[in-house]
Amino acid sequence: MRFWFSVWGLIWAAVGTVAFALAGRPQWAIACGVLWLVITVDMALIVRHIRQGPHYQPGRDVPPYEPPRT
């Protein structure tokens, strides 16, 4: 769900950057461009975490696994 929220934000930031640039509002275009960059970095992290898959991290109360006996 976080990925799709990022896609939605990426679209709006891109549209906002272009719209404000065309409207002659450079400060708002820069602000939307910076937001666009932040969202892009966040999406890269989200995709990285999705590709890593689930990772089980036991708490401190779970003893370590014994090595297999060969």
Side-chain angles (χ1 to χ4, degrees):
M1 190 159 160
R2 183 175 166 199
F3 175 78
W4 293 112
F5 282 142
S6 291
V7 169
W8 181 252
L10 189 72
I11 291 168
W12 277 104
V15 169
T17 302
V18 172
F20 283 123
L22 292 175
R25 301 282 193 155
Q27 294 86 3
W28 284 101
I30 291 170
C32 286
V34 169
L35 183 61
W36 189 0
L37 180 65
V38 169
I39 294 170
T40 302
V41 170
D42 184 49
M43 280 190 67
L45 290 174
I46 292 169
V47 170
R48 180 175 175 252
H49 289 159
I50 289 172
R51 290 186 180 191
Q52 284 180 345
H55 294 282
Y56 174 69
Q57 298 293 325
R60 294 179 186 257
D61 58 337
V62 178
Y65 299 113
E66 292 188 23
R69 298 177 191 216
T70 57

